[in-house]
Amino acid sequence: MKIEEYERDSIAAYIKAERYVNDGSPSRFSQNTTKIGAPTSAIGGFDVVLAELPKDIFCRDVGDEQCGLPKGTMLIHPDMMDNPILRDVGIKQCGKEFVYPTASGRTVFDADDKRFYKLAYLNYLGRIIRHMEYNRLMSAKEATDLLVRVATDNRANKRFSLLKEDCGRVAFLPIDPKTVDPSLKIPQQCIDSGLYEWGVLFREFNPYPYVKEKEYLVPFFSLFGGEYKPETNEFSKDHEIFISQIFKKQSKSLERFLLDELLFPLYNTYFDCLLLGGVELEAHAQNMLVTLNKDYQIKRIVCRDLESAGRDMDLIKYLNIDYATTITDYKCNYRKPKDPDQKYDKYTITHSFMFDFKLGEYIVTPMLEKLKQIYPSMNIAQITEELKDFNRQFIKLLPLGFFPPDWCHYENINFEETGKPRVYIWQDNPKYR
């Protein structure tokens, strides 16, 4: 795929990059749903179901603005229409919305309304079943609110932006805790209440802060991913990775281009979220994007999937961030007693896992490795040393011991399906700090 396709049709090019210019997760766990809406299928788009709920079903909207759904309705992925929870309630289809698949099997893109729908999907996608209960929607809204405030106060770096996730709806559907299928891994609060929380979360397409200048939105995985051809089930042999195409459109050395235009802004944005908002991003290659201007220069770093972002409550207190109350404890990180099977407490583990593993090993390391194959003279040692020096200016602002001296990852298995405990594997010498 040529980066110039964005100039001809920026929406079509974004959808193509999102779905096909993507090597997939390093974990190799699939995000594919059925062929109806699978991200890597040849199908152009499909209809999600607008379902009418029985009048006695309580729905709760999240966010200051109405989510735009008719009263008493819910958006449902078509794969879920025969789910026993919905079947027992007695929903009826009353409409539909045409959408495009994205890299996430349960997140779809409405090109007409310029927004994403993050849907409940009660099957495994990646490592987990994708529930969308009330706590998740509220966590996304709270993380969004914190980062919007950072952006609005002009405290963040000039490249900082996000895709807002502050609106959605949850329907509370009656279930019988005694007969519910245990393989669905229903959240405990739903078992306790006898009400399954079936939700949808809305995500904006235009990065915030909003700008008048035309921008092209590119996922990080598309910067260094190959181009998949669904019609042949093969990767293109002549695709030049986007980051190489973009590099050729400017005049800096490769090392300076990567550091000044991409990696320094990426890490600056990560630490701005943490130090100014108390939000710890899950900053892997699917959750981070860049914007390009009409001349294909990198303009902004974009954070998305704030439902998966954590709020570091101890850090918020330490930095005196104005965040007096929280509606939900979901994705709140506190220091708690250490699990005897782990090397460190969960609070410390999370800091390394998100920074060293998700950001470092899902974005930086694979991108540098791909570029080294194309440009053998590229100085990776220089890049990593400059990154370490750059990141230390932020790390010194964190509490002592925030990061452990080593870094972690975990076994590449599905822990929920296997029932194995999630024990982290530790290595010396963090690469980027």
Side-chain angles (χ1 to χ4, degrees), residues 113-361:
D113 289 344
K114 299 292 190 301
R115 62 179 179 175
F116 300 89
Y117 307 132
K118 195 169 187 179
L119 305 168
Y121 197 88
L122 274 65
N123 284 326
Y124 282 99
L125 291 173
R127 299 177 194 264
I128 58 176
I129 293 174
R130 304 293 171 163
H131 300 286
M132 187 51 67
E133 65 269 34
Y134 178 73
N135 281 348
R136 294 178 190 267
L137 271 72
M138 285 307 306
S139 179
K141 183 185 184 307
E142 291 189 3
T144 298
D145 290 346
L146 283 165
L147 296 187
V148 164
R149 190 168 62 193
V150 169
T152 304
D153 290 349
N154 294 316
R155 291 179 290 148
N157 74 87
K158 65 180 182 179
R159 308 277 189 123
F160 179 94
S161 67
L162 65 138
L163 300 185
K164 293 168 65 176
E165 289 186 356
D166 54 2
C167 183
R169 174 175 291 174
V170 178
F172 295 81
L173 310 178
I175 56 172
D176 184 349
K178 297 178 181 178
T179 61
V180 70
D181 184 352
S183 70
L184 293 178
K185 308 290 184 182
I186 300 296
Q188 188 59 48
Q189 77 269 16
C190 299
I191 298 292
D192 294 342
S193 68
L195 293 170
Y196 180 75
E197 301 168 17
W198 194 295
V200 57
L201 178 64
F202 294 81
R203 176 191 300 153
E204 295 187 2
F205 177 73
N206 293 319
Y208 183 88
Y210 310 123
V211 296
K212 293 181 180 179
E213 179 186 2
K214 187 172 186 178
E215 290 183 301
Y216 304 140
L217 196 60
V218 183
F220 250 91
F221 56 66
S222 298
L223 292 177
F224 54 89
E227 181 183 2
Y228 176 73
K229 299 288 188 180
E231 60 273 12
T232 62
N233 194 30
E234 294 177 340
F235 278 86
S236 170
K237 292 182 173 61
D238 57 4
H239 172 74
E240 181 181 10
I241 58 175
F242 278 179
I243 194 63
S244 178
Q245 295 184 51
I246 296 167
F247 163 63
K248 291 177 178 178
K249 293 182 180 292
Q250 52 84 62
S251 57
K252 291 185 176 183
S253 70
L254 180 56
E255 290 83 2
R256 289 267 53 92
F257 163 70
L258 288 173
L259 288 166
D260 298 342
E261 302 300 322
L262 187 62
L263 296 177
F264 286 167
L266 171 64
Y267 278 101
N268 201 342
T269 295
Y270 184 87
F271 281 112
D272 278 351
C273 291
L274 198 56
L275 288 165
L276 302 178
V279 174
E280 189 166 41
L281 298 174
E282 187 175 5
H284 55 60
Q286 184 172 299
N287 287 352
M288 304 302 292
L289 307 92
V290 299
T291 67
L292 309 176
N293 67 11
K294 60 182 178 60
D295 297 318
Y296 302 101
Q297 308 299 302
I298 297 172
K299 298 301 292 182
R300 298 200 281 175
I301 304 295
V302 186
C303 314
R304 75 168 167 186
D305 195 8
L306 299 180
E307 176 263 324
S308 70
R311 285 152 292 146
D312 193 314
M313 304 308 294
D314 286 8
L315 185 63
I316 285 172
K317 182 178 180 180
Y318 176 83
L319 296 170
N320 199 28
I321 294 172
D322 183 16
Y323 187 61
T325 60
T326 178
I327 298 174
T328 171
D329 267 355
Y330 175 75
K331 286 289 183 178
C332 286
N333 197 11
Y334 306 86
R335 191 176 293 279
K336 299 176 182 177
K338 185 180 80 70
D339 186 318
D341 294 329
Q342 304 288 357
K343 185 174 183 179
Y344 300 103
D345 60 272
K346 180 65 173 175
Y347 184 74
T348 305
I349 291 171
T350 300
H351 298 153
S352 172
F353 189 71
M354 293 303 172
F355 179 88
D356 297 309
F357 185 57
K358 290 295 180 124
L359 176 52
E361 299 304 306

Side-chain angles (χ1 to χ4, degrees), residues 127-128 282 331 339 341-343 346 349 353-354 358 409-411 413-426:
R127 299 177 194 264
I128 58 176
E282 187 175 5
K331 286 289 183 178
D339 186 318
D341 294 329
Q342 304 288 357
K343 185 174 183 179
K346 180 65 173 175
I349 291 171
F353 189 71
M354 293 303 172
K358 290 295 180 124
H409 58 96
Y410 54 37
E411 193 176 355
I413 61 171
N414 189 317
F415 294 98
E416 281 196 3
E417 283 192 308
T418 62
K420 293 184 66 173
R422 188 173 304 202
V423 178
Y424 292 83
I425 302 164
W426 291 89

